[in-house]
Amino acid sequence: MVSCDWLPGGGATRPLEKWPQAETRAMGQAAKVLQLFKTLHRTRQQVFKNDARALEAARIKINEEFKCNKTETSPKKIEELIKIGSDVELILRTSVIQGIHTDHNTLKLVPRKDLLIENVPYCDAPTQKQ
């Protein structure tokens, strides 16, 4: 049984299998959107740790984008927006590193531990297996 006060018809309680397909799809999309929103904010907190200006700017931008598309009802468009948000989260998590100004023309890069990978040298002449 599922009860949701925020759905049309008030807090109706009925078995999940009795819900119209469109309502269950919308609930699934709403959960995906909320999960993406939370994931973006967690990623923002990790990527821009100790940088109050960047944290605030990213928070504002994330909230702004979600607020702009709050009234979107087309399932296709919502899926498209979810894909874009997921791509942004991936890029933030895998490609952004912090830099700290240490001198006039010098930046100190501060990569996160999850960005550091083992540097395996490339070999032009592969060895043959025996």
Side-chain angles (χ1 to χ4, degrees), residues 65-123:
E65 290 298 323
F66 275 82
K67 203 174 283 184
C68 272
N69 295 298
K70 183 179 179 180
T71 58
E72 186 59 55
T73 57
S74 165
K76 263 189 176 172
K77 179 68 174 170
I78 292 170
E79 281 300 321
E80 198 176 293
L81 291 167
I82 289 171
K83 174 74 172 113
I84 291 169
S86 297
D87 291 347
V88 166
E89 191 274 334
L90 179 69
I91 289 170
L92 275 174
R93 190 170 25 89
T94 60
S95 303
V96 176
I97 61 172
Q98 286 183 310
I100 300 170
H101 286 280
T102 57
D103 245 351
H104 174 66
N105 289 329
T106 310
L107 277 177
K108 176 184 176 190
L109 298 181
V110 186
R112 294 179 313 284
K113 287 183 180 167
D114 56 328
L115 284 181
L116 299 175
I117 57 172
E118 187 64 37
N119 190 7
V120 179
Y122 176 75
C123 180

Side-chain angles (χ1 to χ4, degrees), residues 7 15-31:
L7 286 175
L16 192 55
E17 59 272 359
K18 301 270 183 177
W19 287 54
Q21 190 174 1
E23 280 184 25
T24 55
R25 189 178 318 119
M27 285 173 37
Q29 279 190 326

Side-chain angles (χ1 to χ4, degrees), residues 40 42-59 62 92 96-98 112:
L40 278 165
R42 283 189 196 108
T43 302
R44 164 190 72 90
Q45 289 173 336
Q46 291 171 354
V47 170
F48 302 118
K49 189 184 339 183
N50 301 325
D51 186 347
R53 255 179 57 193
L55 279 167
E56 182 64 12
R59 184 187 68 76
I62 292 168
L92 275 174
V96 176
I97 61 172
Q98 286 183 310
R112 294 179 313 284

Side-chain angles (χ1 to χ4, degrees), residues 1-16 19 23-24 26-28 30-31:
M1 300 291 267
V2 175
S3 174
C4 295
D5 297 336
W6 49 270
L7 286 175
T13 303
R14 55 186 156 167
L16 192 55
W19 287 54
E23 280 184 25
T24 55
M27 285 173 37

